Amino acid sequence: MSTQWSHYATIIRLVPIRPSPQTERVVEVCDLLAHDTGAGLSLAEISRRLGVHKASCYSMLTALVGAGWLLRDPVRKTYQLGPGLVRLGSAAASQFPALDLARPAMAELSAATGAHCIAFTIGPDHVTVVDQVRHPQAAGHPMPVGTELPRRPPYGVTLAAWMNDAEREGWLDGVPGVVRDRYRRVLDMTRRRGYAVGLHVLADVRLLELASLIRATDARHGRLGSLAGALTDEIMLSEDWFPATVSPRRRYNVSHVDSAVLGPGGRPVLVISLVPVATQLTGAEVVRIGTALAERTAAISGVLSGGSRAAVPS
């Protein structure tokens, strides 16, 4: 697992949210069975893996079988995903046509570039992981489905690149004035080449990102929010956080490479991110990965809009 992205997964556990244990267990059961490659799992296996008492686990499984979300094999006495989830999945997929088109490209990109491939849907304030293709050379998943990341600076460069002038300046209001012109150059280059490159730039960058995400998702802790704001500003002051250009022979500590899928009118409807298994890459390798990604997202954008990437009106 990419070190930086694994810390994003940790963030979800650290942000103070009031969980619903029963709901979490349902999600855990479905996720567990989704990754089972055999003929299902028994009650005892599910109970043991989730750390849930057999009686509670049995009650939950029975309810899920009744809803059609799970099937129980009466001979093996094992459970596996049921047809009810197929219906839900089809309904969800129909709401994300870009994702349906992107899935084959994500598998190709992961195989061709040696990277995890993650798809994000776009909300008003956050982007949300909705799908991923894990590269076989790395253990675990780069980021859980459902993970949310804020769109505020320094995040959201890929989206800000496709904003109109007024929206872009509004996004840039969150960038310290001393580096605002540099961010404008980064946004221009991202739009021109079709992808953005994010780097690991500080030894403690993961701590800074953690603080930024806590600030974005939980504004109730004033002292923590103030500290997170200061740390986020320090990130934004880093000269190489999002490079506008890359030199072919220089080596870069790459965190991720992002590109937007555009819908009708040239608005981003999906972000596809590649997270290299090997973070140390030459500039030439970064360009190769970014170009391959941008070509795929441009092709998907063309299908969605009936033509090439459309310009966003100012």
Side-chain angles (χ1 to χ4, degrees), residues 191-224:
R191 182 158 176 161
R192 189 176 305 123
R193 68 190 176 192
Y195 63 91
V197 180
L199 305 179
H200 300 286
V201 293
L202 300 170
D204 58 347
V205 70
R206 290 176 294 278
L207 173 61
L208 305 186
E209 291 180 344
L210 171 60
S212 176
L213 289 171
I214 290 176
R215 181 192 185 199
T217 55
D218 184 12
R220 292 172 297 171
H221 294 74
R223 291 181 61 189
L224 180 59

Coordinates of all heavy atoms in Angstrom, one line a residue, residues 191-224:
R191 N -4.5 22.0 -16.8 CA -5.5 22.0 -17.9 C -4.9 21.8 -19.2 O -5.5 21.1 -20.1 CB -6.2 23.4 -17.8 CG -7.4 23.5 -18.9 CD -8.3 24.5 -18.4 NE -9.4 24.7 -19.4 CZ -10.5 25.3 -19.2 NH1 -10.8 25.7 -18.0 NH2 -11.4 25.5 -20.1
R192 N -3.7 22.3 -19.5 CA -3.1 22.2 -20.8 C -2.7 20.7 -21.0 O -2.9 20.2 -22.1 CB -1.9 23.1 -20.9 CG -1.2 23.2 -22.3 CD -0.1 24.2 -22.3 NE -0.6 25.5 -21.8 CZ 0.0 26.2 -20.8 NH1 1.0 25.7 -20.1 NH2 -0.5 27.3 -20.4
R193 N -2.0 20.1 -20.0 CA -1.5 18.7 -20.3 C -2.5 17.7 -19.9 O -2.4 16.5 -20.3 CB -0.2 18.5 -19.5 CG -0.4 18.5 -18.0 CD 1.0 18.6 -17.3 NE 0.9 18.6 -15.9 CZ 1.9 18.9 -15.0 NH1 3.1 19.1 -15.5 NH2 1.7 18.9 -13.7
G194 N -3.6 18.0 -19.1 CA -4.6 17.1 -18.8 C -4.5 16.3 -17.5 O -5.3 15.5 -17.2
Y195 N -3.4 16.6 -16.7 CA -3.2 15.9 -15.5 C -2.4 16.8 -14.5 O -1.7 17.7 -14.9 CB -2.5 14.6 -15.7 CG -1.1 14.7 -16.3 CD1 0.0 14.8 -15.4 CD2 -0.9 14.7 -17.6 CE1 1.3 14.9 -15.9 CE2 0.4 14.8 -18.2 CZ 1.5 14.9 -17.3 OH 2.7 15.0 -17.8
A196 N -2.6 16.4 -13.2 CA -1.8 17.1 -12.1 C -1.0 16.1 -11.4 O -1.4 14.9 -11.3 CB -2.8 17.8 -11.1
V197 N 0.2 16.5 -11.0 CA 1.1 15.6 -10.3 C 1.2 16.1 -8.8 O 1.6 17.3 -8.6 CB 2.5 15.6 -10.9 CG1 3.5 14.7 -10.2 CG2 2.4 15.3 -12.4
G198 N 1.0 15.2 -7.9 CA 1.1 15.5 -6.5 C 2.3 14.8 -5.9 O 2.6 13.6 -6.2
L199 N 3.1 15.5 -5.1 CA 4.4 14.9 -4.6 C 4.4 14.8 -3.1 O 3.7 15.6 -2.4 CB 5.6 15.8 -5.0 CG 5.8 16.1 -6.5 CD1 7.0 17.0 -6.7 CD2 5.9 14.8 -7.3
H200 N 5.2 13.9 -2.6 CA 5.5 13.9 -1.2 C 6.7 15.0 -1.1 O 7.7 14.8 -1.8 CB 6.1 12.6 -0.7 CG 5.2 11.4 -0.9 ND1 4.1 11.2 0.0 CD2 5.1 10.4 -1.8 CE1 3.5 10.1 -0.4 NE2 4.1 9.6 -1.4
V201 N 6.5 16.0 -0.3 CA 7.5 17.0 -0.2 C 8.1 17.3 1.1 O 9.2 17.9 1.2 CB 6.9 18.4 -0.7 CG1 6.5 18.3 -2.2 CG2 5.7 18.7 0.1
L202 N 7.5 16.8 2.2 CA 8.1 17.0 3.5 C 8.1 15.6 4.3 O 7.3 14.8 4.0 CB 7.3 18.0 4.3 CG 7.1 19.4 3.7 CD1 6.1 20.1 4.5 CD2 8.4 20.1 3.8
A203 N 9.1 15.5 5.1 CA 9.2 14.3 5.9 C 7.9 14.0 6.7 O 7.5 12.9 6.9 CB 10.4 14.3 6.8
D204 N 7.3 15.1 7.2 CA 6.1 15.0 8.0 C 4.8 15.4 7.3 O 3.8 15.8 7.8 CB 6.2 15.8 9.3 CG 6.4 17.3 9.0 OD1 6.7 17.6 7.8 OD2 6.3 18.1 9.9
V205 N 4.8 15.3 5.9 CA 3.7 15.7 5.1 C 2.4 14.9 5.5 O 1.3 15.5 5.4 CB 4.0 15.6 3.6 CG1 4.1 14.2 3.2 CG2 3.0 16.3 2.8
R206 N 2.5 13.7 5.9 CA 1.3 12.9 6.2 C 0.7 13.5 7.4 O -0.6 13.5 7.5 CB 1.7 11.5 6.4 CG 2.1 10.8 5.1 CD 2.6 9.3 5.3 NE 3.8 9.3 6.1 CZ 5.0 9.4 5.6 NH1 5.1 9.7 4.3 NH2 6.1 9.3 6.3
L207 N 1.4 14.0 8.4 CA 0.9 14.6 9.6 C 0.1 15.9 9.2 O -1.0 16.2 9.6 CB 1.9 15.0 10.6 CG 1.5 15.8 11.8 CD1 0.4 15.0 12.6 CD2 2.7 16.1 12.7
L208 N 0.7 16.7 8.2 CA 0.1 17.9 7.8 C -1.3 17.6 7.1 O -2.3 18.3 7.2 CB 1.0 18.7 6.9 CG 2.4 19.0 7.4 CD1 3.2 19.9 6.5 CD2 2.3 19.7 8.8
E209 N -1.2 16.6 6.2 CA -2.5 16.2 5.5 C -3.5 15.7 6.5 O -4.7 16.0 6.3 CB -2.1 15.2 4.5 CG -1.3 15.7 3.3 CD -1.0 14.6 2.3 OE1 -1.2 13.4 2.6 OE2 -0.5 15.0 1.2
L210 N -3.1 15.0 7.5 CA -4.1 14.5 8.5 C -4.7 15.7 9.1 O -6.0 15.7 9.3 CB -3.3 13.6 9.5 CG -4.1 13.2 10.7 CD1 -5.3 12.4 10.3 CD2 -3.2 12.4 11.7
A211 N -4.0 16.6 9.5 CA -4.5 17.8 10.2 C -5.5 18.6 9.3 O -6.5 19.0 9.7 CB -3.4 18.7 10.7
S212 N -5.1 18.7 8.0 CA -5.9 19.4 7.1 C -7.3 18.7 6.9 O -8.3 19.3 6.9 CB -5.2 19.5 5.7 OG -6.1 20.1 4.7
L213 N -7.3 17.4 6.8 CA -8.5 16.6 6.6 C -9.4 16.7 7.9 O -10.6 16.8 7.8 CB -8.2 15.2 6.2 CG -7.6 15.0 4.8 CD1 -7.2 13.6 4.6 CD2 -8.7 15.4 3.8
I214 N -8.8 16.7 9.1 CA -9.5 16.8 10.3 C -10.2 18.1 10.3 O -11.4 18.3 10.7 CB -8.6 16.5 11.5 CG1 -8.2 15.1 11.6 CG2 -9.4 17.0 12.8 CD1 -7.3 14.8 12.7
R215 N -9.5 19.2 9.9 CA -10.0 20.5 9.9 C -11.2 20.6 8.9 O -12.2 21.2 9.2 CB -9.0 21.5 9.4 CG -9.5 22.9 9.4 CD -8.5 23.8 8.7 NE -8.9 25.2 8.8 CZ -8.4 26.1 7.9 NH1 -7.5 25.8 7.0 NH2 -8.8 27.4 8.1
A216 N -11.1 19.9 7.8 CA -12.2 20.0 6.8 C -13.4 19.2 7.2 O -14.5 19.5 6.9 CB -11.7 19.4 5.5
T217 N -13.2 18.1 8.0 CA -14.4 17.3 8.4 C -14.9 17.5 9.8 O -16.0 17.0 10.1 CB -14.0 15.8 8.2 OG1 -12.8 15.6 9.0 CG2 -13.6 15.5 6.8
D218 N -14.2 18.2 10.6 CA -14.7 18.4 12.0 C -14.3 19.7 12.5 O -13.2 19.9 13.0 CB -14.1 17.3 12.9 CG -14.7 17.4 14.3 OD1 -15.7 18.1 14.5 OD2 -14.2 16.7 15.2
A219 N -15.2 20.7 12.3 CA -14.9 22.1 12.7 C -15.2 22.4 14.1 O -15.1 23.5 14.6 CB -15.6 23.0 11.8
R220 N -15.6 21.4 14.9 CA -16.0 21.6 16.3 C -14.8 21.8 17.2 O -15.0 22.4 18.3 CB -16.8 20.4 16.8 CG -18.2 20.3 16.1 CD -18.9 19.0 16.4 NE -18.1 17.8 16.0 CZ -18.3 16.6 16.4 NH1 -19.3 16.4 17.2 NH2 -17.6 15.6 16.0
H221 N -13.7 21.4 16.9 CA -12.5 21.5 17.8 C -11.7 22.7 17.3 O -10.9 22.6 16.4 CB -11.7 20.2 17.7 CG -12.4 19.0 18.3 ND1 -13.4 18.4 17.6 CD2 -12.3 18.4 19.5 CE1 -13.9 17.4 18.3 NE2 -13.2 17.4 19.4
G222 N -11.9 23.8 18.0 CA -11.3 25.1 17.6 C -9.8 25.1 17.6 O -9.1 25.5 16.7
R223 N -9.2 24.5 18.7 CA -7.7 24.5 18.8 C -7.2 23.6 17.7 O -6.2 24.0 17.1 CB -7.3 24.0 20.2 CG -7.7 25.0 21.3 CD -7.2 24.5 22.6 NE -5.8 24.3 22.7 CZ -5.1 23.6 23.7 NH1 -5.8 23.2 24.7 NH2 -3.8 23.5 23.6
L224 N -7.8 22.5 17.5 CA -7.3 21.6 16.5 C -7.4 22.2 15.1 O -6.5 22.1 14.3 CB -8.0 20.2 16.5 CG -7.6 19.2 15.5 CD1 -6.1 18.8 15.6 CD2 -8.5 17.9 15.6

